[in-house]
Amino acid sequence: MSTVQGLGYLGIGVSNLREAIEFYTRFARLEVAEVVGNTAFLTGGLEHHWVRLEEGNGQGMKRIAYEVADEDALAQARSALRQHGIEYTEGGDLRKDRVEHWVRFRDPGGADVELYTGMIERGVAPLSNGVTIETFLHAGWGTANYDATSQFYENALGFKLSDRIDDKVNFYRAGNRYHHSLVLLRTNAFAFNHFCIQVSSLDDVMRFRSNAMKHGVALRDDILRHAPSGSISVYLKDEARGFAVEFCTDHPRVDDETHRPRILPNRPESRDVWQSPLAEPQPWQS
C-alpha cells in the first residue's frame, strides 16, 4: 500500500512575485487563492494551493510536496524515514502554511520533499477560465543517485513502478493510481524537470498551446503522445525558473492487481509514439 496519495503542491522560489503570478495565472491558468506577504498561493481545484510562490528565496524549485491520507499515514512515513536513515523536520501551521501537519526531508538524490496532511480546502472550485482543468498530476526531476533514490521511493514510501525507459527513467504511481505521480530521471545532479496538469480534452491542451504561442512563450516540447501512459501533452518553458509546465489529457489510472511494468527502449518513440519510424514504401512498378 502506498503511503502517498498523490502530488500535492510545489514550493517555487521567485525573484519577482508579480511576474510569477502573471505567468502562472495567464499561461498555467491557475487562480490566486490568496497572497500573504511575499507568498502567493495558486490553485486549479478545490485544494487551497497547487503552487506556492515564495519571493526572496532564490529562483527555482524549492520543495516538492506529496499528500498523505491522514496522521496515521504520516506516522508511517516518519517511521520509514528513520529506518532508511533520512533526517527530517516536522511542522505545520494552517495560518502560515495552509497545511496542518508536514514532514520535510531531503531524498537520497538531493531533492527537498514534503509529505503533508490537512490542507485547507476551498468551498467553491475556480470558475472556468476557458479550459477545463482536472488534476495536479505529477512532477518529474533528475537525480544523481538514481538507483538508491528509486529504491527509496519504492521501499520507504510505497510508490509502485508503472513503467521504465531502459535504466534512464522510472515512472511511479501513488495511491490515486494515476499511471505516474512521480518521474525520476538519471542525471548528474538534482534538477527539477517539469510538473504536469491534466485537462479534460485535447482541445484544452491545444488552447494552452495556442495561448502560450500567441504571447511568445516558448514550447519546450510540442504536441506528443507518451508511450508509457498514452497521454497527449505539450510542454511550456518557464524560462525564469528553469523548468517546464506540461499540460496533458488521457492520462490513465492503473489497476494495481493486473498491471505489469514494462521496460521500454531508450528511443525517441518511447517518449513520443508519433516519432516511430514509418516503413519504407514498396518500390513502384509499372
Side-chain angles (χ1 to χ4, degrees):
M1 180 178 178
S2 176
T3 301
V4 174
Q5 293 300 298
L7 181 62
Y9 78 91
L10 300 171
I12 302 173
V14 302
S15 61
N16 184 322
L17 188 61
R18 184 178 296 274
E19 174 275 325
I21 291 173
E22 169 70 12
F23 181 88
Y24 282 103
T25 55
R26 181 176 296 277
F27 302 115
R29 309 305 292 175
L30 300 179
E31 180 179 301
V32 176
E34 63 177 325
V35 178
V36 181
N38 293 329
T39 300
F41 298 90
L42 286 74
T43 188
L46 288 172
E47 301 84 1
H48 180 267
H49 58 280
W50 290 358
V51 169
R52 173 176 171 156
L53 303 174
E54 303 175 2
E55 187 178 62
N57 192 24
Q59 285 267 73
M61 189 58 59
K62 298 301 178 182
R63 186 166 60 255
I64 306 159
Y66 283 88
E67 183 180 14
V68 301
D70 51 29
E71 287 292 341
D72 288 342
L74 202 59
Q76 180 182 344
R78 291 196 301 270
S79 176
L81 292 173
R82 289 192 295 269
Q83 291 173 16
H84 286 78
I86 302 291
E87 296 183 356
Y88 61 85
T89 58
E90 286 189 77
D93 184 337
L94 286 176
R95 290 175 297 177
K96 177 183 177 183
D97 299 323
R98 303 305 189 249
V99 168
E100 195 165 46
H101 193 184
W102 51 253
V103 170
R104 294 175 181 170
F105 58 92
R106 180 162 289 180
D107 76 11
D112 289 322
V113 177
E114 174 181 307
L115 304 177
Y116 73 87
T117 187
M119 179 182 283
I120 290 176
E121 294 187 28
R122 294 156 55 98
V124 179
L127 297 176
S128 173
N129 57 12
V131 294
T132 303
I133 293 175
E134 292 187 339
T135 308
F136 197 46
L137 191 64
H138 69 253
W141 63 90
T143 179
N145 202 2
Y146 180 81
D147 295 323
T149 304
S150 297
Q151 289 298 310
F152 168 76
Y153 281 100
E154 292 180 33
N155 298 331
L157 299 185
F159 281 85
K160 295 181 174 64
L161 183 67
S162 289
D163 287 309
R164 61 188 174 104
I165 297 177
D166 203 344
D167 64 346
K168 307 296 184 185
V169 187
N170 282 353
F171 299 88
Y172 287 109
R173 66 187 182 277
N176 61 21
R177 296 191 298 106
Y178 282 108
H179 180 275
H180 53 276
S181 293
L182 164 64
V183 184
L184 290 180
L185 304 94
R186 187 185 295 273
T187 54
N188 293 325
F190 168 72
F192 192 79
N193 186 275
H194 73 281
F195 69 86
C196 180
I197 295 171
Q198 175 155 262
V199 295
S200 178
S201 69
L202 179 58
D203 285 342
D204 290 310
V205 172
M206 297 307 289
R207 289 187 187 102
F208 276 113
R209 178 183 183 275
S210 177
N211 184 51
M213 296 183 71
K214 177 181 177 181
H215 291 88
V217 175
L219 303 183
R220 193 190 78 178
D221 301 287
D222 208 347
I223 195 76
L224 52 80
R225 183 189 284 275
H226 291 302
S229 65
S231 60
I232 299 175
S233 301
V234 66
Y235 293 72
L236 313 185
K237 283 186 178 180
D238 180 351
E239 298 195 80
R241 267 63 63 178
F243 51 78
V245 182
E246 177 188 3
F247 305 97
C248 83
T249 191
D250 295 337
H251 188 108
R253 282 188 163 99
V254 169
D255 186 333
D256 287 338
E257 297 299 321
T258 60
H259 182 74
R260 180 183 63 83
R262 299 169 295 168
I263 304 174
L264 300 171
N266 187 24
R267 297 177 56 86
E269 58 264 32
S270 292
R271 191 167 186 276
D272 177 11
V273 299
W274 294 325
Q275 293 192 38
S276 179
L278 299 176
E280 290 294 321
Q282 294 297 318
W284 181 80
Q285 295 179 349
S286 60

